[in-house]
Amino acid sequence: MPKDMAQNTTIFTRRESEARSYCRGMNAVFTRASGSEMFDAEGNRYIDFLAGCSSLNYGHNDADMKAALVEHISADGIAHGLDFHSDTKAAFLSAYEEKILKPRGMDYKVMMTGPTGTNAVEAAIKLARKVTGRKNVISFTNGFHGMTMGALALTGNKGKRGGAGGGSLADVTHMPFEGALGDNVDSLEMIDAMLSNPSSGIDAPAAFIFEPIQGEGGLNAASDAWMQGIEKIARKHGALLIVDDIQAGCGRSGSFFSFEASGIKPDMVTQAKSLSGFGLPFAALLIAPEHDIWKPAEHNGTFRGNTHAFVTARVAIEKFWSDDKFEKSLAEKAVVLTTALKDVADLIDGATLKGRGLMQGVDVGSGELAGAICARAYELGLVIETSGAHDEIVKYLAPLTTSEEVMREGFDILLQATRDVTGNMKLAAE
Amino acid sequence: MPKDMAQNTTIFTRRESEARSYCRGMNAVFTRASGSEMFDAEGNRYIDFLAGCSSLNYGHNDADMKAALVEHISADGIAHGLDFHSDTKAAFLSAYEEKILKPRGMDYKVMMTGPTGTNAVEAAIKLARKVTGRKNVISFTNGFHGMTMGALALTGNKGKRGGAGGGSLADVTHMPFEGALGDNVDSLEMIDAMLSNPSSGIDAPAAFIFEPIQGEGGLNAASDAWMQGIEKIARKHGALLIVDDIQAGCGRSGSFFSFEASGIKPDMVTQAKSLSGFGLPFAALLIAPEHDIWKPAEHNGTFRGNTHAFVTARVAIEKFWSDDKFEKSLAEKAVVLTTALKDVADLIDGATLKGRGLMQGVDVGSGELAGAICARAYELGLVIETSGAHDEIVKYLAPLTTSEEVMREGFDILLQATRDVTGNMKLAAE
Amino acid sequence: MPKDMAQNTTIFTRRESEARSYCRGMNAVFTRASGSEMFDAEGNRYIDFLAGCSSLNYGHNDADMKAALVEHISADGIAHGLDFHSDTKAAFLSAYEEKILKPRGMDYKVMMTGPTGTNAVEAAIKLARKVTGRKNVISFTNGFHGMTMGALALTGNKGKRGGAGGGSLADVTHMPFEGALGDNVDSLEMIDAMLSNPSSGIDAPAAFIFEPIQGEGGLNAASDAWMQGIEKIARKHGALLIVDDIQAGCGRSGSFFSFEASGIKPDMVTQAKSLSGFGLPFAALLIAPEHDIWKPAEHNGTFRGNTHAFVTARVAIEKFWSDDKFEKSLAEKAVVLTTALKDVADLIDGATLKGRGLMQGVDVGSGELAGAICARAYELGLVIETSGAHDEIVKYLAPLTTSEEVMREGFDILLQATRDVTGNMKLAAE
Amino acid sequence: MPKDMAQNTTIFTRRESEARSYCRGMNAVFTRASGSEMFDAEGNRYIDFLAGCSSLNYGHNDADMKAALVEHISADGIAHGLDFHSDTKAAFLSAYEEKILKPRGMDYKVMMTGPTGTNAVEAAIKLARKVTGRKNVISFTNGFHGMTMGALALTGNKGKRGGAGGGSLADVTHMPFEGALGDNVDSLEMIDAMLSNPSSGIDAPAAFIFEPIQGEGGLNAASDAWMQGIEKIARKHGALLIVDDIQAGCGRSGSFFSFEASGIKPDMVTQAKSLSGFGLPFAALLIAPEHDIWKPAEHNGTFRGNTHAFVTARVAIEKFWSDDKFEKSLAEKAVVLTTALKDVADLIDGATLKGRGLMQGVDVGSGELAGAICARAYELGLVIETSGAHDEIVKYLAPLTTSEEVMREGFDILLQATRDVTGNMKLAAE
């Protein structure tokens, strides 16, 4: 069944910038979506193992959020309110306080940054520099934090950095993430050694920023011990600890925050992607109260505090995080996921599993192979993407709400795609 | 009638970051809004002369956009689609091409950047540097382009720049905007002289970026001659011309783009704020096709291409820009506005009018006075803000769709507020 | 009489870097020099109107300095002493205190920087940033301050800046020098306006640095009023005032410091070039005592405090600056110089005089013409160079001790060269 | 016998900047010096184990250089000649070519930079960036390359970096030197891993720069294997290889260049300190011919090519490097040195030897102890200094020409000083 035949895409090639990307390989014209399924203009169905890069952790068009949003809009609820007080913002903040912060013993101020992850990251590093009076921020190999200049300076990816066109990406030191130098090198020891040597040339850091599970960088999951080690080094050297939980947060790791099990207490946490619950643009920066030294509007933005997102985010919190049922379901699904990915890995020599929770994937050894598998899966009706420095990882990011039935349907496609591609490769090699 | 009494705002002071700003002076808890009116939790009505800082040019909750959006959501239309093809994106691009670009003889590629103005600006300067192989970007006194590090480097405001915490704001040369050095100095001549002198120390520029009407910077409206002059200088020195039309665009100046009358042909144009029509987060960068050298995803972002915004933006374009009726109404309202602001200015010694189109204000000479007037207006039920390097300008940014009746109602409050404040000041002085 | 025929220069082309410059146009192999005369390997005599770019203000091999230096060396005087105490350093400092500082009512600490002008400039800006806690330094069009990265960032010349190979030349704002924007623009007003506008984007400056007479930049001599204006602006905005007196100092302007007549009181003054009196590498930074907050060795260098230079510098000070005879002779010679240059200028349409004191030249309108005149002068036995953003100025920098007789001899050559070149040009044009 | 009593040092405290350093701890007023001995104003004799930080490798006032220099000056030889051709420069270049380059199979262009080590380093990194079109330069922990902004960015020392006053030290990545992360971490592997990972965030380097034996950084001597490894990594990643041989060169390591035994072929080599042979300011940059793409004067400086230094440098080369006698004597003295330092180390628990050749020292474990030993040695008539990130190393840098007799005399003082200090410490501890 050939997908997207007769779907007219000339308007995109004619008018949309060359910067567009996902639509090149997966060129259906999508029209509607529900839960873990997407449909194109011809009615073809796709299982979604990408979920807006983890922006749709609760699936497409969740019925409860949809109802609340439609009701809000129909009643002339505020659509855009700058950072004015609103009933919807109050309700979101109250839910966030009651269901997210309090049960975890957390005390953070919530900063409504511009509604993109990169904006929350920019706010975090600006604030860390203000608080400490230092400039240097330490980020990590394979880290991805955004595409605006401040966040891009933190990001490791060479291609992304090249987009700066030679503009200065200064005031950042890139250090090896856990395991980045192989099993024999303890990156914690190395980092502490560099910072402890007064002649290392590494200026005293304002902050460390890392993703507990690196999303774009290849599903590298930091161990609890490593996160604790970074926290300890940060404290020792007078630096703030910033966790970028944009992709791994909101349940993706198995808990609301991806660092909960580690016991670390970040000074700041960035949130975006699935924070709205519905895929709406929304980001926030959690700030330990003692560091909340912003002057009014010192970092601002027109769309900070997306009111529609307040509505859906509140529903998402109340629906999924009022008790531990959802979290328990995630643990169960993670086991299913691991088992399924092992089956995929078994088809490929040397393939290994990466990640944790509902953020796992298979390192198939090359970007070429991973790309071919994802392309074949798409032909078979599964939306799935690669990640990693060499795009060598087939990454599972399906909605957390995906039923086991749909999960298995998707895995079957993935297995078939893998068999098709590896089979073809063997044939080609013979 | 005391406003917002008994409206509980403790959740905001307890949980929201100190970065919040508008809600401090205007502390109602808003619940709904329609057209040019907002209502708080106690049912108090406010006339809105701020319009989300020009993000609500078509008013709150326009009935047609609302209907289209509710229909889209109800039908499980895509809420988040990364940069996949979608029917809604196609419809938006087609409307934009037919109603905006073609009638104006424009040929631009549309880049869906992250849905914030600052993100579109970052994309523009990154691309300008890639295209030219140069680093230096020339921006202007009182210019405001955003709060992420790349855009903040372009921004003039000292307080905003201070938010960088000492991080490097490099690769930018700040030049005087038209009139910034007084009537006797031709800033065009000065800029050309500096760039033409091979020993000026000003590195050859990748681009010039300016706002035709500076929004945050004090409603400084560039003349057509000045804009043409900058274009000429840019061409002469091999630099790209970027117009930041985020605040002044989408009809605010009286035409869709604020530079239309000047005849200049920018290489790039940034759009955001009212682009969605409904106040939803949305931004785009228009790029002359020959400069669209982005590699796929070289600048990307999770929320690029907000699908809900595509829906409302399409309606806004079709409803307001299919013929010249709306544009004609803007010309008429601009006259009304000018007349009314003159009445305000007449109450204050030395006050002058600033801006053009539906983006005008009164320079009352001091931030203290302007602040007092806006505060008093708020007490009387009018939401209005200041702008300018010293916050010395009372700025009118009401929805473009505001009826003359509501305009006059608002002006009456503004006049009363001005009388109250200046009267009190005189009393205090006696 | 063809110069330097048979002088073997192959070792230079074979072994010396392409960075070499003066020797390309003036390719004699020099062997000895005395006063204002240089001699090449074939015994040809050259009058020196370049004087090591003002490093030989007292002529080549002054007899008294020579005797003192030979005696010092012969007696095993210290040749290299890091920054240890030495009798020669004490004698230099005492002479400098008694003959230079005290009579002028100046109170400065003397910092022995690395023995190059650029090193003194680097020390000055580092210290200004330390003292003020600010980063931005304001330098001026056509300013030349050195070739190391910190000083190069201050330097205006595009070709020199290009030598940085794209390395960051940050933290500097380049402003127009007096007259740089033409007679109708008051650069002081413009600078103050930019700094006074809190939305100009020009960060509060740590310091202003300028040359009272721009040497490389085209003999632009600042008026006393302009220097006073810059001092006033610096004070107003909390910035330090640094005078770079490397080329214009040590009598070149007619007084020991080139800014004496203006009455300004710089916070720091850089000295180099003729400070040793003998052409030996030597530089110093004068620092107002309240700003001398260096920690020991916080800026250091192996050759700081060249002991041989202490010997000759002391003699130079005692010989030329113990009374006002030398200074009076400079005033007389400046008149002779002006008169002679007028004669040169009279030969060229539109030519004008630049500079003041013994640092004057003729702006002949183009680098091509200026270069041709200097090249012809060299053929006739006169060493003289161009300066200016376009190399359009024929620059007189002869030793201050040049007798009027030798001055006139040199002027005759210069006039002849000018006539030859302009005559040939006219012939070529006919 | 109390040293320097009655030596008047008030002129220094009154007039010299607080930046002065060596003279604080060793406050004699020196008047003359010969070979390895210095004498103060009271006639006290000091053995010099510092040698101008390796700027006096051939001792103070070598008789042959002295004679040549006095003859040159007496005959009105050029003292300052910009970069004109001169007989003395030709003679120096010829000697350098014949005695240094040719016998070692080297083919370099010689660039006369400003006469300081930092200036040669600045020239090197500027050129590397020009050649490669890249900005990032990799330097190493504990590296010291100078105090001007470009070189300071490469330097590791926190205190020195602090002298920049917050100015930008950009475009440099600091990597661990051999052994900097302990014996278990292979810094070569780590560096290659970081550069080979396209998502490491380390931009492709223009160059690597290192000192084969780190002078200021603690006498860390790189192994031949490590230097070869860095060369290999540089080639692999398209970067130039720059050796900073300022302190370790000119015989200090046992051969003229400190990297000779390793067989590496640097693209550039910096030289300064002992290059003049006599302690005169002089520096040069050796450039592989294919990289000598400087335009004339693209990096220049008033004192580039110190003519007096040409005279003495030529004598030094001819006298010490015409045959292998001097080099053989260095090997013998290195054995003597190692033996003597072992005796010192034996007095201190845990003390270890550092360095190689005639550039060795004892790591005594703390800066406090090392400082106390040097201070006591000075009281006993020996000038010796510390080095290292914590000043924890007692460093031997005596003239290479020091006789074994004087070496032993100095070692006796050093042993006595060590005994005195450690004895006192034990007493204090009891």
Side-chain angles (χ1 to χ4, degrees), chain D residues 9 24 26 61 104 142 163 181 232 243 255 279 292 327 363 382:
Chain D
T9 60
R24 292 170 183 270
M26 300 186 274
N61 288 304
R104 290 166 182 80
N142 294 39
L181 298 177
K232 197 171 162 188
V243 169
S255 50
D292 185 25
E327 203 162 342
D363 181 341
L382 177 69

Side-chain angles (χ1 to χ4, degrees), chain A residues 15 83 110 122 273 302, chain B residues 15 21 76 110 149 273 302:
Chain A
R15 279 295 154 212
D83 66 357
V110 181
E122 296 258 348
K273 291 198 186 273
T302 294
Chain B
R15 278 296 155 212
S21 57
D76 282 342
V110 181
M149 291 297 281
K273 291 199 186 273
T302 295

Side-chain angles (χ1 to χ4, degrees), chain B residues 57-58 99-100 103-104 106 248-262 316-335 356-358 400-401:
Chain B
N57 281 0
Y58 314 107
K99 310 293 191 191
I100 304 297
R104 291 166 182 80
M106 288 176 165
C250 298
R252 175 60 58 185
S253 72
S255 51
F256 186 80
F257 295 108
S258 68
F259 55 86
E260 288 180 29
S262 74
I317 290 169
E318 291 173 346
K319 178 172 180 177
F320 294 101
W321 301 100
S322 288
D323 57 34
D324 62 0
K325 279 183 205 154
F326 183 62
E327 202 162 345
K328 282 187 177 167
S329 77
L330 299 181
E332 290 162 13
K333 285 178 184 171
V335 174
R356 66 178 168 86
L358 275 302
L400 306 179
T401 52

Side-chain angles (χ1 to χ4, degrees), chain C residues 9 11-24 26-34 38 50 52-53 55-56 60-61 66 69-70 73-80 82-87 89-90 93-94 97 101 107-112 115-116 118-119 122 126 129-130 134-135 144 147-150 152 159-160 162-168 171 273 278-282 287 292 294-300 302-304 306 308 383, chain D residues 9 11-24 26-34 38 50 52-53 55-56 60-61 66 69-70 73-80 82-87 89-90 93-94 97 101 107-112 115-116 118-119 122 126 129-130 134-135 144 147-150 152 159-160 162-168 170-171 273 278-282 287 292 294-300 302-304 306 308 383:
Chain C
T9 59
I11 183 70
F12 304 110
T13 50
R14 188 169 71 245
R15 280 295 155 212
E16 201 175 352
S17 164
E18 297 300 319
R20 70 195 187 282
S21 57
Y22 288 110
C23 60
R24 293 169 183 269
M26 300 185 276
N27 64 345
V29 177
F30 294 103
T31 53
R32 64 191 173 86
S34 181
M38 300 175 74
L50 180 52
C53 289
S55 295
L56 292 159
H60 294 266
N61 288 305
K66 188 166 75 170
L69 182 57
V70 166
I73 297 170
S74 302
D76 281 342
I78 305 290
H80 180 98
L82 293 164
D83 67 356
F84 285 122
H85 295 149
S86 69
D87 54 348
K89 189 199 279 188
L93 283 172
S94 297
E97 183 179 63
L101 296 180
D107 181 17
Y108 287 113
K109 301 291 280 298
V110 181
M111 177 181 177
M112 308 300 178
T116 61
T118 196
N119 203 296
E122 296 259 348
K126 287 166 67 175
R129 287 175 179 145
K130 277 180 64 76
R134 299 173 176 181
K135 289 192 298 181
F144 181 93
M147 300 295 269
T148 48
M149 291 297 281
L152 187 56
K160 305 298 187 206
S168 182
D171 302 331
K273 290 198 185 272
F278 204 71
L280 304 180
F282 187 31
I287 305 169
D292 185 25
W294 287 117
K295 294 179 200 162
E298 201 173 16
H299 181 92
N300 64 8
T302 295
F303 297 117
R304 63 192 185 281
N306 179 353
H308 284 189
V383 170
Chain D
T9 60
I11 183 70
F12 304 111
T13 50
R14 187 168 71 245
R15 279 297 154 212
E16 200 175 352
S17 164
E18 296 300 319
R20 70 195 187 281
S21 58
Y22 288 110
C23 60
R24 292 170 183 270
M26 300 186 274
N27 64 344
V29 178
F30 293 103
T31 54
R32 64 191 173 87
S34 182
M38 300 176 75
L50 180 52
C53 289
S55 295
L56 292 158
H60 294 266
N61 288 304
K66 188 166 76 169
L69 182 57
V70 165
I73 298 170
S74 301
D76 281 342
I78 304 291
H80 180 99
L82 292 164
D83 66 357
F84 285 123
H85 297 147
S86 68
D87 53 347
K89 189 198 280 186
L93 282 172
S94 297
E97 184 180 61
L101 296 180
D107 181 16
Y108 287 113
K109 301 291 280 297
V110 181
M111 178 181 177
M112 309 298 179
T116 62
T118 195
N119 203 295
E122 295 259 347
K126 286 165 69 175
R129 287 175 179 144
K130 277 179 65 75
R134 299 172 176 181
K135 290 192 297 183
F144 182 93
M147 300 294 270
T148 48
M149 291 297 282
L152 186 55
K160 304 297 187 206
S168 181
D171 301 333
K273 291 200 186 271
F278 204 71
L280 304 181
F282 188 32
I287 305 170
D292 185 25
W294 288 117
K295 295 178 199 164
E298 201 173 16
H299 181 92
N300 64 7
T302 295
F303 297 117
R304 65 193 183 281
N306 179 354
H308 284 188
V383 170

Side-chain angles (χ1 to χ4, degrees), chain C residues 387-401:
Chain C
S387 89
H390 303 276
D391 300 319
E392 74 277 21
I393 289 153
V394 176
K395 179 169 70 167
Y396 173 94
L397 279 179
L400 307 179
T401 52

